[in-house]
Amino acid sequence: KEAKKHLGEILSAYEFLDQECVEVLTKWTGVGSPLETQTPFYVLIETAGSDAAHDEEKLHRFLERTMEDGLVDDGTVASEPSKIKAIWEVRERITEALKHDGYVYK
């Protein structure tokens, strides 16, 4: 709700995952988490607007606001293509890993 409210037109993806999924991913695929902090839950947000500087500033303000409000404990903004790819690989390969573990949540 907060992401949609504050990021609006630049919000292109919002994904939720938990630490157990990350652990299953590492167990079955060998893909480790590029996220520096281990936490019970993660939210991945992707933005795509027409002005990169404006979009980045808006995302930083959103992250600061949600941290100040106690909705988010920690956050990182990835701007390097390799870091972005590594973060999204975690999300994209979770279903594959969960199948190996015998269950899939959709």
Side-chain angles (χ1 to χ4, degrees):
K1 180 179 172 182
E2 292 298 309
K4 190 172 184 179
K5 177 180 174 184
H6 294 287
L7 298 175
E9 77 285 355
I10 67 168
L11 181 63
S12 63
Y14 182 98
E15 299 283 342
F16 172 86
L17 55 136
D18 63 20
Q19 180 59 35
E20 290 182 42
C21 286
V22 174
E23 290 169 5
V24 168
L25 176 74
T26 302
K27 174 183 171 183
W28 290 108
T29 68
V31 173
S33 175
L35 304 170
E36 296 166 6
T37 304
Q38 198 175 64
T39 183
F41 305 103
Y42 303 91
V43 172
L44 305 179
I45 294 175
E46 182 177 63
T47 60
S50 59
D51 181 348
H54 168 265
D55 300 349
E56 187 173 344
E57 177 60 31
K58 194 168 187 175
L59 183 59
H60 280 283
R61 281 196 318 266
F62 168 74
L63 184 56
E64 289 172 8
R65 184 180 303 113
T66 55
M67 289 176 78
E68 287 171 2
D69 292 347
L71 299 172
V72 173
D73 291 329
D74 194 11
T76 186
V77 175
S79 54
E80 305 85 30
S82 61
K83 179 84 170 191
I84 293 167
K85 182 179 177 185
I87 290 171
W88 282 100
E89 181 180 20
V90 168
R91 168 58 189 94
E92 291 166 357
R93 296 196 60 196
I94 285 175
T95 302
E96 170 192 345
L98 290 174
K99 285 181 185 178
H100 288 289
D101 221 34
Y103 55 92
V104 176
Y105 295 115
K106 283 273 186 178

